[in-house]
Amino acid sequence: MKKHTVPIIGASAFGYYCALSAKSWTWVFVSSDSGDWLACSNWWMVPQPYGSPLYISLARLIGLITSGNATVITMTILLSCLPSAVTVMLVYLIVHKLTNETWPAITSALVLLGAGIFLTQSTILEEYALAICFCTLAYWLYINNRRMLTALALGLGTAVHIFILPIAVFWFALQWREWKPWLKPAGIFVLTGILPYSLILILMGMDTPRLLAGGLNRQSLNEYVFGIGGTIVGNLSLFEAPYRLLAITKILLPSLGLAFVPLWYGLKRPYDTKKLVLLMIVTVSLWYHLTSLDPVSWTFIDFGLPAIAILCGIGLNKLTLKHAYAAAVGALILMCVNGAFLNANTLTKERPLATTYYDELYALPDGSVVVTNAGAYSLGLFYVMSEGKDLTPIVYPYSDTWNFPDYSDWLKDKYGIVGHDTPGLVQDALNKGYDVYFAGAKWRYSKVAQAFQIADGDDLVREIKGLTGLWPEDARPVESPKSYIRWNEILDGLKQ
Amino acid sequence: MTKKHIIVYATLGVLCGVAYPTGRAIMIRQEPFGYLIVSNLTLNYIFLFMLVGAVSPWIASRLPLLKRFKKATASGIVMLTLVCVLLIVFTLVGAPMRWTQ
């Protein structure tokens, strides 16, 4: 390995990701979670389950130094572009270590750089890049027999994203033949990976908006931990299996391209523990998306991509040099194509929903009440408020079954608006002379707005024009087809 | 690199080009995705693969056509066939159940 190869690869990858990264507020592009991280780090409130304590702490730190759009850009570059570039560098080092060959290592790094899935998460404000970086670092340390540091890296990864937890558990389980030397590292993992989640308990106890979690009590904790995950993980209907597999194929093909050939050889025997760890990471990430009710969970495949790139390198080691050239050319083409068509900045301009929302909130008169549903819209609203815009947020849950137990109390204490549900809160705000605006995904709040307009017909209740929501209007579930109703009748008959 | 490899690389390149527009659409959320079946059928793939994995060797040992193959290969053939058949069945049964626009 030449002395300057690693820094050149790292610097090139960093430059590539920086050039393609989003330069403004883009929570709608790829991941609406960006709004969550921004708002939660700014307000220091409990983020979406399960918290990502290390990520929001780092974001908070960045937020203290910078402000506004500078925070977005700095977070994107420091917490997404930089870790991804390090991951590409690590993939090169790992493959070089495993194969003692330069070309397979370079090709693997290129395969990762060309992967569209990896690119999308490396160029926006998201937590995946950092978590994946720690996971890949753990593998680098693992193949160098540094157990304590492996556990530390896995722990830090877990503190960034909970998805590293099952990976770490299986990782430790695969070491069952020599489990004794792994006892101390397991302790380090608990300290660095699990303990930081106590930050969420602290945040629950603070006087911040009771939005995604209530106060520090048993019911609130129960809803926070089991409320969302339990309804989407592994719950996809079997009848969706073919469609989900097709969707995965459509995403993976343009992400890996010609690298499927070396990957095929990389997946072949022999299987030692090092290879099993890679296979495990790929399996866990694919399994999550294959069984998740959430179709946007394709982003979790990202966790498996460095492992896939490493397996490609292992496969290339079994093939002639021409295969490495072919896969490298394929990856370079993908880098160019993705650079043009999956460029975060271009896509933000192409579909400027987030910036429109941001601008329209800013255009509202000071002191207005904004009614919106939970999720990206509410968090976008909190973000605008955190920048100093004087608005009052009435946020209601996704569905009747999801409850924000203490939010009304927080609203009453902070703004003096009283009500037990959204119509009640809106009515009270109108009675007190506020301008009330509905904002966000139209079909999500249509019931509330409709019910309200029927109730008093007051045109003070308005919507922010020009917004159709995160989801295209025509994609919403409108009504069940007859065959579906018939099928349900048959199922009901069978149950009886 | 053999001719077979070249054909595979070329096929992958074409497939990649064909899949790119829809793959990109999924990634940037411009493809409708709000009509998943959210029925009460919460069985997941693991259960399916366990079931298929468990019955495949049993079926393979009873099919005379597969006697010429090794046990593992025969089981693999049955497993793949079963998965393909099940996917086709799920597609046929599931298609009318999916939400429509």
Side-chain angles (χ1 to χ4, degrees), chain A residues 29 234 236-243 250 253-254 258 261 265 287 290-291 293 295-296 298 322-323 337-338 341 347 350-351 471 474-475 477 480-481 483-484 487, chain B residues 1 5 8-9 12-13 15-16 19-20 22-24 26-30 32-34 36-38 40-41 43-46 87 90-91 93-99 101:
Chain A
F29 168 55
L236 188 71
S237 162
L238 277 177
F239 296 106
E240 282 290 350
Y243 303 97
K250 283 177 184 174
L253 259 174
L258 305 187
V261 175
Y265 286 92
W287 167 82
L290 275 171
T291 60
L293 204 59
V296 190
W298 62 265
K322 281 182 181 172
H323 286 271
V337 173
N338 288 331
F341 295 111
L347 286 169
E350 191 181 299
R351 198 161 177 254
W471 296 269
D474 59 353
S480 319
S483 53
Y484 180 81
W487 179 251
Chain B
M1 192 185 283
H5 283 123
V8 172
Y9 279 123
L12 271 173
L15 283 174
C16 186
Y20 198 89
T22 42
R24 178 182 181 266
I26 293 171
M27 280 195 268
I28 61 171
R29 285 184 166 194
Q30 287 181 338
F33 61 89
L36 281 176
I37 301 171
V38 279
N40 290 325
L41 294 165
L43 297 170
N44 65 28
Y45 299 90
I46 291 175
L87 286 181
F90 290 148
T91 310
V93 179
M97 288 168 60
R98 287 166 67 82
W99 296 104
Q101 291 183 37

Coordinates of all heavy atoms in Angstrom, one line a residue, chain A residues 29 234 236-243 250 253-254 258 261 265 287 290-291 293 295-296 298 322-323 337-338 341 347 350-351 471 474-475 477 480-481 483-484 487, chain B residues 1 5 8-9 12-13 15-16 19-20 22-24 26-30 32-34 36-38 40-41 43-46 87 90-91 93-99 101:
Chain A
F29 N -36.2 16.0 1.3 CA -35.4 15.1 0.5 C -34.9 13.9 1.2 O -34.1 14.1 2.2 CB -34.3 15.9 -0.2 CG -33.3 15.0 -0.9 CD1 -33.7 14.1 -1.8 CD2 -32.0 15.0 -0.5 CE1 -32.8 13.2 -2.4 CE2 -31.1 14.2 -1.1 CZ -31.5 13.3 -2.0
G234 N -41.0 -5.5 11.3 CA -41.4 -6.9 11.1 C -42.9 -7.2 10.8 O -43.4 -8.3 10.8
L236 N -44.8 -6.2 8.1 CA -45.3 -6.1 6.7 C -46.1 -7.4 6.4 O -45.6 -8.5 6.7 CB -44.1 -6.0 5.7 CG -44.5 -5.7 4.3 CD1 -45.0 -4.3 4.2 CD2 -43.3 -5.9 3.4
S237 N -47.2 -7.2 5.7 CA -48.0 -8.3 5.3 C -47.2 -9.2 4.3 O -46.5 -8.6 3.4 CB -49.3 -7.8 4.7 OG -49.9 -8.9 4.0
L238 N -47.4 -10.5 4.3 CA -46.7 -11.4 3.4 C -47.1 -11.0 2.0 O -46.4 -11.3 1.0 CB -47.1 -12.8 3.7 CG -46.2 -13.5 4.8 CD1 -46.7 -14.9 5.0 CD2 -44.8 -13.5 4.5
F239 N -48.4 -10.5 1.8 CA -48.8 -10.2 0.5 C -48.1 -9.0 -0.2 O -48.2 -8.8 -1.3 CB -50.3 -9.9 0.5 CG -51.1 -11.1 0.9 CD1 -51.7 -11.2 2.1 CD2 -51.3 -12.2 0.0 CE1 -52.4 -12.3 2.5 CE2 -52.0 -13.3 0.4 CZ -52.5 -13.4 1.6
E240 N -47.4 -8.3 0.7 CA -46.6 -7.2 0.2 C -45.2 -7.7 -0.2 O -44.4 -6.9 -0.8 CB -46.4 -6.1 1.2 CG -47.7 -5.2 1.4 CD -47.9 -4.3 0.2 OE1 -47.0 -4.2 -0.7 OE2 -48.9 -3.7 0.1
A241 N -44.8 -8.9 0.1 CA -43.5 -9.4 -0.1 C -43.0 -9.2 -1.5 O -41.9 -8.7 -1.7 CB -43.4 -10.9 0.3
P242 N -43.8 -9.6 -2.5 CA -43.2 -9.5 -3.9 C -42.9 -8.0 -4.2 O -41.9 -7.7 -4.9 CB -44.4 -10.0 -4.8 CG -45.2 -10.8 -3.8 CD -45.1 -10.2 -2.5
Y243 N -43.8 -7.1 -3.8 CA -43.6 -5.7 -4.1 C -42.4 -5.1 -3.4 O -41.7 -4.3 -4.0 CB -44.9 -4.9 -3.8 CG -46.1 -5.4 -4.4 CD1 -47.0 -6.3 -3.8 CD2 -46.4 -5.1 -5.8 CE1 -48.1 -6.8 -4.4 CE2 -47.5 -5.6 -6.4 CZ -48.4 -6.5 -5.7 OH -49.5 -7.0 -6.3
K250 N -35.0 -2.7 -7.4 CA -34.9 -1.5 -8.1 C -34.0 -0.5 -7.4 O -33.4 0.4 -8.1 CB -36.3 -0.8 -8.2 CG -37.3 -1.4 -9.2 CD -38.6 -0.7 -9.1 CE -39.6 -1.3 -10.0 NZ -41.0 -0.7 -9.7
L253 N -30.1 -2.4 -7.6 CA -29.4 -2.5 -8.9 C -28.7 -1.3 -9.3 O -27.5 -1.3 -9.6 CB -30.5 -2.9 -10.0 CG -30.5 -4.3 -10.4 CD1 -31.7 -4.5 -11.3 CD2 -29.3 -4.8 -11.1
P254 N -29.3 -0.1 -9.2 CA -28.6 1.1 -9.6 C -27.6 1.5 -8.5 O -26.8 2.4 -8.8 CB -29.7 2.2 -9.7 CG -31.0 1.5 -9.6 CD -30.7 0.2 -8.9
L258 N -22.4 -3.1 -11.6 CA -21.6 -4.3 -12.0 C -21.0 -5.0 -10.8 O -20.4 -6.1 -10.9 CB -20.5 -3.8 -13.0 CG -21.0 -3.1 -14.2 CD1 -19.8 -2.9 -15.2 CD2 -22.1 -3.9 -14.9
V261 N -21.3 -8.9 -9.6 CA -20.5 -10.1 -9.9 C -19.4 -10.4 -8.9 O -19.4 -11.5 -8.3 CB -19.8 -9.9 -11.3 CG1 -18.9 -11.0 -11.7 CG2 -20.9 -9.7 -12.4
Y265 N -19.1 -13.7 -5.9 CA -17.9 -14.5 -5.5 C -17.5 -14.2 -4.1 O -17.0 -15.1 -3.4 CB -16.7 -14.1 -6.5 CG -16.9 -14.7 -7.8 CD1 -17.5 -14.0 -8.9 CD2 -16.5 -16.1 -8.1 CE1 -17.7 -14.6 -10.1 CE2 -16.7 -16.6 -9.4 CZ -17.3 -15.9 -10.4 OH -17.5 -16.5 -11.6
W287 N -33.0 -7.5 6.2 CA -34.2 -8.0 7.0 C -35.1 -6.9 7.5 O -36.3 -6.9 7.3 CB -33.7 -8.8 8.2 CG -34.9 -9.1 9.1 CD1 -35.8 -10.1 9.0 CD2 -35.2 -8.4 10.3 NE1 -36.7 -10.0 10.0 CE2 -36.4 -9.0 10.8 CE3 -34.7 -7.3 10.9 CZ2 -37.0 -8.5 11.9 CZ3 -35.3 -6.8 12.1 CH2 -36.5 -7.4 12.6
L290 N -37.0 -5.5 4.5 CA -37.9 -6.6 4.0 C -39.2 -6.8 4.8 O -40.2 -7.2 4.3 CB -37.2 -7.9 3.9 CG -36.3 -8.1 2.6 CD1 -35.5 -9.3 2.7 CD2 -37.2 -8.2 1.4
T291 N -39.1 -6.5 6.1 CA -40.2 -6.8 7.0 C -40.8 -5.6 7.6 O -41.8 -5.7 8.3 CB -39.8 -7.7 8.2 OG1 -38.7 -7.1 8.9 CG2 -39.2 -9.1 7.7
L293 N -43.0 -2.2 7.9 CA -44.2 -1.7 7.3 C -43.9 -0.4 6.6 O -44.6 0.1 5.7 CB -45.3 -1.5 8.4 CG -46.7 -1.5 8.0 CD1 -47.1 -2.8 7.3 CD2 -47.6 -1.3 9.2
P295 N -42.3 1.9 4.1 CA -41.6 1.7 2.8 C -40.4 2.6 2.7 O -39.5 2.3 1.9 CB -42.7 2.1 1.8 CG -43.7 2.9 2.5 CD -43.6 2.6 4.0
V296 N -40.3 3.6 3.5 CA -39.1 4.5 3.5 C -37.9 3.9 4.2 O -36.8 4.4 4.3 CB -39.4 5.9 4.0 CG1 -38.3 6.9 3.7 CG2 -40.7 6.4 3.3
W298 N -36.0 1.8 3.4 CA -34.9 1.4 2.5 C -33.6 2.1 2.9 O -32.5 1.6 2.6 CB -35.2 1.7 1.0 CG -35.4 3.2 0.7 CD1 -36.6 3.8 0.7 CD2 -34.4 4.2 0.5 NE1 -36.4 5.2 0.4 CE2 -35.1 5.4 0.3 CE3 -33.0 4.1 0.4 CZ2 -34.4 6.6 0.0 CZ3 -32.3 5.3 0.1 CH2 -33.0 6.5 -0.1
K322 N -9.0 -8.0 -14.5 CA -10.0 -7.4 -15.4 C -11.3 -7.2 -14.7 O -12.0 -6.2 -15.0 CB -10.2 -8.3 -16.6 CG -9.0 -8.2 -17.6 CD -9.3 -9.1 -18.8 CE -8.1 -8.9 -19.8 NZ -8.2 -9.9 -20.9
H323 N -11.7 -8.1 -13.8 CA -13.0 -7.9 -13.1 C -12.9 -6.7 -12.2 O -13.9 -6.0 -12.1 CB -13.3 -9.2 -12.2 CG -13.7 -10.4 -13.0 ND1 -15.0 -10.6 -13.3 CD2 -12.9 -11.4 -13.6 CE1 -15.0 -11.7 -14.1 NE2 -13.8 -12.2 -14.2
V337 N -23.3 9.4 -12.6 CA -24.8 9.4 -12.8 C -25.4 9.9 -11.6 O -26.3 10.8 -11.6 CB -25.3 8.0 -13.3 CG1 -26.8 8.0 -13.3 CG2 -24.7 7.7 -14.6
N338 N -25.0 9.3 -10.4 CA -25.7 9.7 -9.2 C -25.3 11.1 -8.8 O -26.1 11.8 -8.2 CB -25.2 8.7 -8.0 CG -25.9 7.4 -8.2 OD1 -27.0 7.3 -8.7 ND2 -25.2 6.3 -7.7
F341 N -27.9 13.0 -10.9 CA -29.3 12.8 -10.6 C -29.7 12.6 -9.2 O -30.9 12.6 -8.8 CB -29.8 11.5 -11.4 CG -29.7 11.7 -12.9 CD1 -28.8 11.0 -13.7 CD2 -30.5 12.6 -13.6 CE1 -28.7 11.2 -15.0 CE2 -30.5 12.8 -14.9 CZ -29.5 12.1 -15.7
L347 N -31.8 18.2 -6.1 CA -33.1 17.6 -5.8 C -33.9 18.6 -4.9 O -35.1 18.6 -4.9 CB -32.9 16.3 -5.1 CG -32.5 15.2 -6.1 CD1 -32.1 13.9 -5.3 CD2 -33.6 14.8 -7.0
E350 N -35.3 21.0 -7.1 CA -36.3 20.3 -7.9 C -37.6 20.2 -7.2 O -38.7 20.3 -7.8 CB -35.8 19.0 -8.4 CG -36.5 18.3 -9.4 CD -35.9 16.9 -9.7 OE1 -34.7 16.9 -10.2 OE2 -36.5 15.9 -9.5
R351 N -37.5 19.9 -5.9 CA -38.7 19.7 -5.1 C -38.6 20.5 -3.8 O -38.3 19.9 -2.8 CB -38.8 18.2 -4.8 CG -40.2 17.7 -4.4 CD -40.3 16.2 -4.6 NE -41.6 15.8 -4.1 CZ -41.8 15.1 -2.9 NH1 -40.8 14.8 -2.2 NH2 -43.0 14.8 -2.6
W471 N -46.4 13.7 1.3 CA -46.8 12.7 0.4 C -47.7 13.2 -0.8 O -48.5 14.1 -0.5 CB -47.6 11.6 1.1 CG -46.8 10.9 2.1 CD1 -46.0 9.8 1.9 CD2 -46.6 11.3 3.5 NE1 -45.4 9.5 3.1 CE2 -45.7 10.4 4.0 CE3 -47.0 12.4 4.2 CZ2 -45.3 10.5 5.4 CZ3 -46.6 12.4 5.5 CH2 -45.7 11.5 6.1
D474 N -52.2 12.3 -4.5 CA -52.9 11.1 -5.2 C -52.4 9.8 -4.6 O -52.8 8.7 -5.0 CB -52.7 11.2 -6.7 CG -51.2 11.2 -7.1 OD1 -50.4 11.3 -6.2 OD2 -50.9 11.1 -8.3
A475 N -51.4 9.9 -3.7 CA -50.8 8.6 -3.2 C -51.5 8.2 -1.9 O -51.3 7.1 -1.4 CB -49.4 8.7 -2.9
P477 N -54.2 6.8 0.8 CA -55.3 5.8 0.7 C -56.6 6.5 0.8 O -57.0 7.1 1.8 CB -55.0 4.9 1.9 CG -54.1 5.8 2.8 CD -53.4 6.8 2.0
S480 N -61.1 1.8 0.2 CA -60.7 0.4 -0.1 C -61.4 -0.1 -1.4 O -62.6 0.2 -1.5 CB -61.1 -0.5 1.0 OG -60.8 0.1 2.2
P481 N -60.7 -0.8 -2.3 CA -61.4 -1.4 -3.4 C -62.4 -2.5 -2.9 O -62.2 -3.0 -1.8 CB -60.3 -2.0 -4.2 CG -59.1 -2.1 -3.4 CD -59.3 -1.1 -2.3
S483 N -62.7 -5.5 -3.8 CA -62.1 -6.8 -3.5 C -61.5 -6.9 -2.1 O -61.5 -7.9 -1.4 CB -61.0 -7.1 -4.5 OG -60.1 -6.0 -4.6
Y484 N -61.0 -5.7 -1.7 CA -60.4 -5.7 -0.3 C -61.5 -5.8 0.7 O -61.3 -6.6 1.7 CB -59.7 -4.3 -0.1 CG -59.0 -4.1 1.2 CD1 -57.8 -4.7 1.5 CD2 -59.7 -3.4 2.2 CE1 -57.2 -4.5 2.7 CE2 -59.1 -3.3 3.5 CZ -57.8 -3.8 3.7 OH -57.3 -3.7 4.9
W487 N -62.5 -9.4 0.8 CA -61.5 -10.2 1.4 C -61.6 -10.1 3.0 O -61.5 -11.1 3.7 CB -60.1 -9.7 1.0 CG -58.9 -10.4 1.6 CD1 -58.1 -10.0 2.5 CD2 -58.6 -11.8 1.3 NE1 -57.2 -10.9 2.9 CE2 -57.4 -12.1 2.2 CE3 -59.0 -12.8 0.5 CZ2 -56.8 -13.3 2.2 CZ3 -58.4 -14.0 0.6 CH2 -57.3 -14.3 1.4
Chain B
M1 N -11.4 -13.4 -17.6 CA -12.8 -13.1 -17.8 C -13.4 -13.9 -18.9 O -12.9 -13.7 -20.1 CB -13.0 -11.6 -18.0 CG -14.4 -11.1 -17.8 SD -14.6 -9.4 -18.2 CE -14.0 -8.6 -16.7
H5 N -19.0 -14.1 -18.3 CA -18.9 -13.0 -17.4 C -19.2 -11.7 -18.2 O -19.9 -10.8 -17.6 CB -17.4 -12.8 -16.9 CG -17.1 -13.8 -15.8 ND1 -16.1 -14.7 -15.9 CD2 -17.7 -14.0 -14.6 CE1 -16.0 -15.4 -14.8 NE2 -17.0 -15.0 -14.0
V8 N -22.9 -11.4 -18.4 CA -23.4 -11.0 -17.1 C -23.2 -9.5 -16.8 O -24.2 -8.8 -16.4 CB -22.8 -11.9 -16.0 CG1 -23.3 -11.3 -14.6 CG2 -23.2 -13.3 -16.1
Y9 N -22.0 -9.0 -17.1 CA -21.7 -7.6 -16.9 C -22.6 -6.7 -17.8 O -23.2 -5.7 -17.3 CB -20.3 -7.3 -17.2 CG -19.3 -7.6 -16.1 CD1 -18.2 -8.5 -16.3 CD2 -19.5 -7.0 -14.8 CE1 -17.4 -8.8 -15.2 CE2 -18.6 -7.3 -13.8 CZ -17.6 -8.2 -14.0 OH -16.7 -8.5 -13.0
L12 N -26.2 -6.8 -16.5 CA -26.3 -6.0 -15.3 C -26.3 -4.5 -15.6 O -27.1 -3.7 -15.0 CB -25.1 -6.3 -14.4 CG -25.2 -7.4 -13.3 CD1 -23.9 -7.6 -12.6 CD2 -26.3 -7.1 -12.3
G13 N -25.5 -4.2 -16.6 CA -25.5 -2.8 -17.0 C -26.8 -2.3 -17.6 O -27.3 -1.2 -17.2
L15 N -29.8 -3.8 -17.0 CA -30.8 -3.8 -15.9 C -30.7 -2.6 -15.0 O -31.6 -2.0 -14.5 CB -30.6 -5.1 -15.0 CG -31.1 -6.4 -15.6 CD1 -30.7 -7.6 -14.7 CD2 -32.6 -6.3 -15.7
C16 N -29.4 -2.2 -14.8 CA -29.1 -1.1 -13.9 C -29.7 0.2 -14.6 O -30.4 1.0 -13.9 CB -27.6 -0.9 -13.8 SG -27.1 0.3 -12.7
A19 N -33.6 0.0 -14.3 CA -34.1 0.2 -13.0 C -33.8 1.6 -12.4 O -34.5 2.0 -11.4 CB -33.5 -0.9 -12.0
Y20 N -32.9 2.3 -13.0 CA -32.5 3.6 -12.4 C -33.6 4.6 -12.2 O -33.8 5.1 -11.1 CB -31.4 4.2 -13.3 CG -30.6 5.3 -12.5 CD1 -29.5 4.9 -11.7 CD2 -31.1 6.6 -12.5 CE1 -28.9 5.9 -11.0 CE2 -30.4 7.5 -11.8 CZ -29.3 7.2 -11.0 OH -28.7 8.1 -10.2
T22 N -36.9 4.3 -11.8 CA -37.8 3.9 -10.8 C -37.1 3.8 -9.4 O -37.7 4.2 -8.4 CB -38.6 2.6 -11.0 OG1 -37.6 1.7 -11.6 CG2 -39.7 2.8 -12.0
G23 N -35.9 3.3 -9.4 CA -35.1 3.3 -8.2 C -34.9 4.7 -7.6 O -35.1 4.9 -6.4
R24 N -34.6 5.6 -8.5 CA -34.4 7.0 -8.1 C -35.7 7.6 -7.5 O -35.7 8.3 -6.5 CB -33.9 7.8 -9.3 CG -33.7 9.3 -9.0 CD -33.2 10.0 -10.3 NE -33.0 11.4 -10.0 CZ -33.9 12.4 -10.2 NH1 -35.1 12.0 -10.6 NH2 -33.6 13.6 -10.0
I26 N -38.1 6.0 -6.1 CA -38.4 5.5 -4.8 C -37.5 6.3 -3.8 O -38.0 6.6 -2.7 CB -38.1 4.0 -4.7 CG1 -39.1 3.2 -5.6 CG2 -38.1 3.5 -3.3 CD1 -38.7 1.7 -5.8
M27 N -36.3 6.5 -4.1 CA -35.3 7.1 -3.2 C -35.7 8.6 -2.9 O -35.4 9.0 -1.8 CB -33.9 7.0 -3.7 CG -33.3 5.6 -3.4 SD -31.6 5.6 -3.6 CE -31.4 5.1 -5.3
I28 N -36.2 9.3 -3.9 CA -36.5 10.7 -3.6 C -38.0 10.9 -3.3 O -38.5 12.0 -3.3 CB -36.0 11.6 -4.7 CG1 -36.7 11.3 -6.0 CG2 -34.5 11.6 -4.8 CD1 -36.5 12.3 -7.1
R29 N -38.7 9.8 -3.0 CA -40.0 9.8 -2.5 C -41.0 10.4 -3.5 O -42.0 10.9 -3.1 CB -40.1 10.6 -1.3 CG -39.6 9.9 0.0 CD -39.8 10.8 1.1 NE -39.6 10.1 2.3 CZ -40.0 10.5 3.5 NH1 -40.7 11.6 3.6 NH2 -39.8 9.8 4.6
Q30 N -40.8 10.2 -4.8 CA -41.7 10.8 -5.7 C -42.7 9.7 -6.3 O -43.6 10.0 -7.0 CB -41.0 11.5 -6.9 CG -40.5 12.8 -6.4 CD -39.8 13.6 -7.4 OE1 -39.4 13.1 -8.4 NE2 -39.7 14.9 -7.2
P32 N -45.6 7.1 -5.5 CA -46.5 6.9 -4.4 C -46.2 5.6 -3.6 O -45.9 4.6 -4.2 CB -47.8 6.7 -5.2 CG -47.6 7.3 -6.6 CD -46.1 7.1 -6.8
F33 N -46.3 5.8 -2.3 CA -46.1 4.6 -1.5 C -47.1 4.5 -0.4 O -46.8 3.8 0.6 CB -44.6 4.6 -1.0 CG -44.3 5.8 -0.1 CD1 -44.6 5.7 1.2 CD2 -43.8 7.0 -0.7 CE1 -44.3 6.8 2.0 CE2 -43.6 8.1 0.1 CZ -43.8 8.0 1.5
G34 N -48.2 5.1 -0.5 CA -49.1 5.2 0.6 C -50.1 4.1 0.6 O -51.1 4.2 1.3
L36 N -49.8 0.5 1.1 CA -49.4 -0.8 1.6 C -50.6 -1.5 2.2 O -51.5 -0.9 2.7 CB -48.4 -0.6 2.6 CG -46.9 -0.3 2.2 CD1 -46.1 -0.1 3.4 CD2 -46.4 -1.5 1.4
I37 N -50.5 -2.8 2.1 CA -51.5 -3.6 2.8 C -51.2 -3.6 4.3 O -50.2 -4.1 4.7 CB -51.6 -5.1 2.3 CG1 -51.8 -5.1 0.8 CG2 -52.6 -5.8 3.1 CD1 -51.7 -6.5 0.2
V38 N -52.1 -3.0 5.0 CA -51.8 -3.0 6.5 C -52.9 -3.8 7.2 O -53.6 -3.4 8.0 CB -51.8 -1.5 7.1 CG1 -50.5 -0.9 6.8 CG2 -52.9 -0.7 6.4
N40 N -54.3 -7.4 9.1 CA -53.9 -8.0 10.4 C -52.9 -9.2 10.2 O -52.6 -9.8 11.1 CB -55.1 -8.4 11.2 CG -55.9 -7.2 11.6 OD1 -55.3 -6.2 12.0 ND2 -57.2 -7.4 11.6
L41 N -52.5 -9.4 9.0 CA -51.6 -10.5 8.7 C -50.2 -10.1 9.1 O -49.5 -9.6 8.3 CB -51.7 -10.9 7.3 CG -53.0 -11.5 6.8 CD1 -53.0 -11.5 5.3 CD2 -53.2 -12.9 7.3
L43 N -47.8 -12.0 10.0 CA -46.7 -13.0 9.8 C -45.6 -12.4 9.0 O -45.8 -11.6 8.2 CB -47.3 -14.2 8.9 CG -48.4 -15.0 9.5 CD1 -49.0 -15.9 8.4 CD2 -48.0 -15.8 10.6
N44 N -44.4 -12.7 9.4 CA -43.3 -12.1 8.6 C -42.5 -13.1 7.9 O -42.7 -14.3 7.9 CB -42.4 -11.2 9.5 CG -41.7 -11.9 10.6 OD1 -41.5 -13.1 10.4 ND2 -41.4 -11.3 11.7
Y45 N -41.5 -12.6 7.2 CA -40.7 -13.4 6.3 C -40.0 -14.5 7.0 O -39.8 -15.6 6.5 CB -39.7 -12.6 5.6 CG -40.2 -11.5 4.7 CD1 -40.4 -10.3 5.2 CD2 -40.5 -11.8 3.4 CE1 -40.9 -9.3 4.4 CE2 -41.0 -10.8 2.5 CZ -41.2 -9.5 3.0 OH -41.7 -8.6 2.2
I46 N -39.6 -14.2 8.2 CA -38.8 -15.2 9.0 C -39.6 -16.5 9.1 O -39.2 -17.6 8.9 CB -38.4 -14.7 10.4 CG1 -37.3 -13.6 10.2 CG2 -37.8 -15.8 11.2 CD1 -36.9 -12.9 11.4
L87 N -44.3 -16.4 -3.9 CA -44.3 -15.0 -4.4 C -45.3 -14.8 -5.4 O -46.0 -13.7 -5.4 CB -42.9 -14.6 -4.8 CG -41.8 -14.5 -3.8 CD1 -40.5 -14.0 -4.4 CD2 -42.2 -13.4 -2.7
F90 N -48.7 -14.8 -3.7 CA -48.9 -13.6 -2.9 C -49.2 -12.4 -3.9 O -50.0 -11.5 -3.6 CB -47.6 -13.2 -2.1 CG -47.4 -14.2 -1.0 CD1 -46.2 -14.5 -0.5 CD2 -48.5 -14.8 -0.3 CE1 -46.0 -15.4 0.5 CE2 -48.4 -15.6 0.7 CZ -47.1 -15.9 1.2
T91 N -48.5 -12.4 -5.0 CA -48.7 -11.3 -6.0 C -50.2 -11.4 -6.5 O -50.9 -10.4 -6.5 CB -47.7 -11.4 -7.2 OG1 -46.4 -11.6 -6.7 CG2 -47.8 -10.1 -8.0
V93 N -52.8 -12.9 -5.2 CA -53.8 -12.7 -4.1 C -53.7 -11.3 -3.6 O -54.7 -10.7 -3.3 CB -53.6 -13.7 -3.0 CG1 -54.6 -13.5 -1.9 CG2 -53.7 -15.1 -3.5
G94 N -52.5 -10.8 -3.5 CA -52.3 -9.5 -2.9 C -52.7 -8.3 -3.8 O -53.1 -7.3 -3.3
A95 N -52.5 -8.5 -5.1 CA -52.7 -7.4 -6.0 C -54.1 -6.7 -5.8 O -54.2 -5.5 -5.7 CB -52.5 -7.8 -7.4
P96 N -55.2 -7.5 -5.8 CA -56.5 -6.8 -5.7 C -56.7 -6.2 -4.3 O -57.6 -5.4 -4.1 CB -57.5 -7.9 -6.0 CG -56.8 -9.2 -5.7 CD -55.4 -8.9 -6.0
M97 N -55.9 -6.7 -3.3 CA -56.1 -6.2 -2.0 C -55.4 -4.8 -1.7 O -55.7 -4.1 -0.8 CB -55.5 -7.1 -0.9 CG -56.3 -8.4 -0.8 SD -55.3 -9.6 0.2 CE -55.0 -8.7 1.7
R98 N -54.4 -4.5 -2.6 CA -53.7 -3.3 -2.4 C -54.6 -2.0 -2.6 O -55.5 -2.0 -3.4 CB -52.5 -3.2 -3.4 CG -51.4 -4.2 -3.0 CD -50.4 -4.3 -4.2 NE -49.7 -3.1 -4.4 CZ -48.6 -2.8 -3.7 NH1 -48.2 -3.5 -2.8 NH2 -47.9 -1.7 -4.0
W99 N -54.2 -1.0 -1.9 CA -55.0 0.2 -2.0 C -54.9 0.8 -3.4 O -53.8 0.7 -4.0 CB -54.5 1.3 -1.1 CG -54.6 1.0 0.4 CD1 -53.7 0.5 1.2 CD2 -55.8 1.0 1.1 NE1 -54.2 0.3 2.5 CE2 -55.5 0.6 2.4 CE3 -57.1 1.4 0.8 CZ2 -56.4 0.6 3.4 CZ3 -58.1 1.3 1.8 CH2 -57.7 1.0 3.1
Q101 N -55.6 4.0 -6.2 CA -55.8 5.5 -6.2 C -57.2 5.9 -6.5 O -57.8 5.3 -7.4 CB -54.8 6.1 -7.2 CG -53.4 5.9 -6.7 CD -52.4 6.6 -7.7 OE1 -52.7 7.7 -8.2 NE2 -51.3 6.0 -7.9

